[in-house]
Amino acid sequence: MEEFKSGFVTIIGRTNVGKSTLINLLVGEKIAAIANKVQTTRTAIRGIVNRENSQIIFTDTPGIHKPKHKLNETMIETSFSSIPDCDMILFLIEATSEDIGRGDRIILDKIKESKRKTILIINKIDLIKREKLLNLIDIYSKEYNFETVIPISAYEEKYREIILNEIEKNLKPGPAYYDIEEYTDQTLRQLAEETIREKALKLLQDEVPHGIYVEVEKMNLRQNKQKEDIYDIEATIYCLRDSHKGIIIGKNGEMLKRIGRAARIDMEQNFRIKINLKTWVKVKQDWLDNDSIVNSKFKLK
């Protein structure tokens, strides 16, 4: 019988390269917020893949970007602090890159420093021609001895097994660190906060999203009259200024209703349970530079 293997794999890359989409694909469950905006992931999110002969624990990290405030600094610190503790790295880059950009160079230097086994994943290959892809593989292969290079489109299911097989091949024998029923170490409360924030990111105007965070104040499980389990969830969306509060609530409360409705539908699908969701909006100025909020909500535990 084949020896059981396990290991911790960090997914790292610049903002908006598709890390959250990739971790959701690999885990087979939605655990990370996805929106077509930079800095969607703010904290390190763990996803667990249980296979017949292995357990792979993925860490999806915030994208590498130029820090503008305390939150950004904490996000970057979170990304790089996951490298020394991992067994392997998935380095995700965009196929549309012409060369190694500044952000990718910083990550590459950290990988070289760590000497960790690394798989280079080139995402969004549907956007370029084959010659350009081969040129990019050549540029990166001269920089580091990657275990392998896997060109993908993170939305396509067919790449899941290719990546997982390659990772498993490179893992050492080890125990299962989590119960085989688990697929994330995030609590339901954290998943609820992520889901509400993701819907806000998708629905709101550009100037608002990155100045918000979500806090679930109450989360109670009860049975309704039909004896079905139902979660009562009360959550507050915090924003930076009154003008943002008005945008989030919308005319006659319409935007807040849309955010809540989309989040509830998503949570019911993911949690496989009925949800009764109530949301409020409050202003908390300068929270982006507030140490206690940033460290408690976004720092790697």
Side-chain angles (χ1 to χ4, degrees), residues 114-130:
S114 75
K115 299 185 174 70
R116 287 287 182 275
K117 283 187 173 187
T118 303
I119 293 174
L120 181 66
I121 308 274
I122 304 177
N123 191 23
K124 306 181 185 180
I125 56 168
D126 48 308
L127 302 178
I128 60 152
K129 290 193 164 66
R130 182 177 163 80

Side-chain angles (χ1 to χ4, degrees), residues 11-15 17 19 61-64 90-92 104 107:
I11 302 176
I12 198 163
R14 286 181 296 103
T15 53
V17 291
K19 296 184 304 300
T61 58
I64 303 304
L90 292 190
F91 177 22
L92 192 62
D104 286 324
I107 297 167

Side-chain angles (χ1 to χ4, degrees), residues 31-50:
I31 62 165
I34 302 168
N36 189 25
K37 300 188 192 298
V38 297
Q39 300 167 33
T40 306
T41 300
R42 284 178 173 168
T43 185
I45 296 168
R46 288 211 174 94
I48 302 147
V49 175
N50 290 292

Side-chain angles (χ1 to χ4, degrees), residues 6-12 44 46 57-59 61 77-89 110 113-117 171 177 300-301:
S6 62
F8 291 81
V9 179
T10 286
I11 302 176
I12 198 163
R46 288 211 174 94
I57 302 106
F58 290 102
T59 303
T61 58
E77 185 190 319
T78 294
S79 290
F80 288 140
S81 67
S82 66
I83 292 177
D85 299 325
C86 74
D87 300 295
M88 196 167 189
I89 297 167
K110 290 282 181 183
E113 203 179 290
S114 75
K115 299 185 174 70
R116 287 287 182 275
K117 283 187 173 187
L171 292 180
Y177 292 94
L300 182 63
K301 305 292 190 286

